[in-house]
Amino acid sequence: MAAVPITLPDLGAGDEPVRVSLWLVDPGQPVLEADRVVELLVSGITFDVSAPVSGTLTRVERIEHTIVATGDVLGWIDTAEP
């Protein structure tokens, strides 16, 4: 089993808080590389974070409404074949 982190990229938000707005995938659901998995909110603008690999979302580290920073692990994707 290979767990790959979903990390928050640098959005160029400066001092503005970045907040987890909505998870678009629930733990246990399969995702494909580049699928949108989580929506973030910065100053009224939404940004999507995509899955870095194909697999199954196994864990959410940052729940909705949590403030996050560049490099934070938002969740984990398991790339193991069923």
Side-chain angles (χ1 to χ4, degrees):
M1 171 165 45
V4 176
I6 304 166
T7 57
L8 177 62
D10 184 0
L11 300 176
D15 292 334
E16 293 293 324
V18 178
R19 188 177 307 270
V20 175
S21 175
L22 176 69
W23 277 92
L24 304 170
V25 179
D26 291 322
Q29 288 186 305
V31 296
L32 297 175
E33 184 176 355
D35 279 355
R36 300 176 316 130
V37 291
V38 61
E39 182 181 271
L40 306 171
L41 184 63
V42 182
S43 298
I45 300 170
T46 59
F47 293 89
D48 293 328
V49 176
S50 300
V53 294
S54 295
T56 302
L57 180 67
T58 56
R59 191 168 68 236
V60 168
E61 292 287 339
R62 302 291 194 265
I63 61 171
E64 294 172 3
H65 309 294
T66 302
I67 293 178
V68 292
T70 299
D72 281 357
V73 174
L74 304 175
W76 294 89
I77 296 174
D78 179 1
T79 61
E81 295 289 325

